[in-house]
Amino acid sequence: MNIISQTTAFGGMQGVFTHESDACKCDMTFAVFVPPKAIKEPCPVVWYLSGLTCTHANVVEKGEYRRMAAELGLIIVCPDTSPRGNDVPDELTNWQMGKGAGFYLDATEEPWSEHYQMYTYIAEELPAYVSQHFRMDMTRQGIFGHSMGGHGAMTIALKNPDRFKSCSAFAPIVEPCTADWSAPAFEKYLGRDRASWRKYDACALVSDGARFPEFLIDQGKADGFLENGLRPWLFEDAVKNTDIKVTLRMHERYDHSYYFISTFMDDHMRWHAERLA
C-alpha cells in the first residue's frame, strides 16, 4: 500500500492510499478516515461510493463527515469510482461512460471488461485488502453513496444482506436500466441483453427477490437530474408488498451538489452508527 497523504482531523487520521488491484488491473486510489477510538479497539466501517465524474476526493474534501465519524467511532472508506490509467479504456467526450463512470458493475463487453470490474473490486477485493491494514470490525459494515454511488450502495447491499447491516443514499439512481444517463452505459458495459442488467438495478433486484431490511434516501426537489435519472419514487413502488422499509425524505430547494450532501451527512452518520452499534 502506497501512502499518498495522511492528515490528522478531529483526533483521527484521514489518509489517501493507492494499491495495485487485481480486479481492475491497475493502481486504484482510496481514502480512509480512522477515528481516534480505533487506537484502542476495532471500529465498524462504512463505505461511501461517489457519483459520476467524481473520485474519492469529492467527499473527502466536501462531504464534512469526519467530525461525526470521529464522535461515533466509525471508519469511513471512500474508493474511487472507476479504474484509472493510460491503458484503461475511456470515452473522453462522454462523462457518463468510462473513467469516473464505473457504475459499480463488472463489465462483460470489450474493451471494458478487462479493467471495469468495479463490483468485484468494491464488494470483494478492497474489503479484503483494507481489513489487513486498519483496525476494522468487519462484522459491522454499512454502505452509502451519492447518485451513481447511491445506486452502487443499494445494489451491493441488496446482493450482500448478510455482510451489511445498514444502507443509505443521497439522490441515488434507483432504476438505472431505464434512466437516461445510465442505460446507454449499461449496454456498452454489459451488452444488449437487458436481463444481465438486472443484477445492477435496485428496483429489478427487489422484483427478483433480493431483500435488505431498510434504506434511508435523501433527495433534493431542486435536483436537475430528478425526473430523468434518479426517480426515487420508483424504489418506493418496488418495495410495496415486501418487508423492506424505505425512509424517503424529499427536500425543498436542495440540488444534486455536495452542499446538499453535507447538509444531511450527520443524519446518515447517525443512521449507520445506530445500526452498527
Side-chain angles (χ1 to χ4, degrees), residues 49-61:
L49 307 184
S50 290
L52 279 164
T53 75
C54 293
T55 69
H56 68 283
N58 295 74
V59 69
V60 170
E61 296 172 0

Side-chain angles (χ1 to χ4, degrees), residues 12-152:
M13 184 278 297
Q14 176 66 68
V16 178
F17 311 91
T18 64
H19 75 120
E20 186 176 344
S21 167
D22 291 332
C24 296
K25 295 182 173 59
C26 63
D27 286 345
M28 294 293 289
T29 302
F30 62 93
V32 181
F33 176 74
V34 181
K37 186 177 180 180
I39 296 172
K40 298 180 180 179
E41 62 187 78
C43 290
V45 55
V46 183
W47 301 82
Y48 179 90
L49 307 184
S50 290
L52 279 164
T53 75
C54 293
T55 69
H56 68 283
N58 295 74
V59 69
V60 170
E61 296 172 0
K62 298 181 287 187
E64 301 182 18
Y65 59 85
R66 279 173 288 269
R67 177 184 58 80
M68 187 57 65
E71 179 181 320
L72 298 171
L74 299 175
I75 294 174
I76 310 297
V77 183
C78 308
D80 201 352
T81 54
S82 74
R84 308 274 178 177
N86 294 333
D87 297 331
V88 174
D90 193 18
E91 289 189 1
L92 295 176
T93 60
N94 183 4
W95 61 276
Q96 297 165 327
M97 187 70 198
K99 295 178 186 177
F103 282 98
Y104 303 102
L105 52 77
D106 284 350
T108 57
E109 302 298 301
E110 296 294 341
W112 313 102
S113 57
E114 181 179 1
H115 296 282
Y116 286 80
Q117 301 295 306
M118 287 300 294
Y119 175 80
T120 294
Y121 178 69
I122 298 296
E124 299 176 16
E125 182 181 14
L126 188 59
Y129 185 79
V130 296
S131 63
Q132 299 176 36
H133 296 276
F134 300 95
R135 193 169 288 175
M136 297 176 169
D137 182 349
M138 300 300 280
T139 67
R140 293 186 291 164
Q141 296 186 66
I143 189 167
F144 68 147
H146 171 230
S147 192
M148 178 184 75
H151 137 75

